[in-house]
Amino acid sequence: MVIKENTLNRAMDNVENSLETFVLEQKSKCKNWVGMESLLVTQYTTRLDTVLQSKAYTALNQLETKHRFIVSNRLKDFLALAKDEYDKN
């Protein structure tokens, strides 16, 4: 099933909300940002793919180019915010 942009944005909102606490929980285990960033990219893409497929939408790797671009930009923005949070404490 083809996904609409607002549905994709809601799915990413849910993933990002769930990962906010994940960053804080994992901070003590990941002592450097590079490790945390890698973990977050994996978690973000896995969780988003799971959400999309659970609602019978196209898998993340099969999204249209414009939707992959949206996901890529949101992931970059999320990582920037997560790094700020990671660096605070």
Side-chain angles (χ1 to χ4, degrees), residues 9-56:
N9 281 319
R10 278 195 308 268
M12 288 185 292
D13 288 343
N14 291 337
V15 168
E16 290 168 8
N17 288 337
S18 72
L19 286 174
E20 286 176 6
T21 55
F22 181 83
V23 170
L24 298 175
E25 292 168 354
Q26 295 298 314
K27 184 175 178 174
S28 63
K29 297 175 187 172
C30 287
K31 299 297 182 189
N32 64 55
W33 172 248
V34 174
M36 176 63 90
E37 182 179 38
S38 176
L39 182 61
L40 286 174
V41 168
T42 301
Q43 286 291 315
Y44 193 101
T45 56
T46 301
R47 290 180 187 202
L48 183 56
D49 196 43
T50 300
V51 168
L52 295 177
Q53 290 187 33
S54 73
K55 304 218 183 274

Side-chain angles (χ1 to χ4, degrees), residues 56-75:
Y57 288 111
T58 304
L60 190 56
N61 63 350
Q62 297 174 343
L63 288 175
E64 295 176 20
T65 302
K66 68 179 181 177
H67 290 137
R68 286 194 307 257
F69 183 73
I70 291 168
V71 171
S72 176
N73 284 337
R74 284 281 297 262
L75 177 56

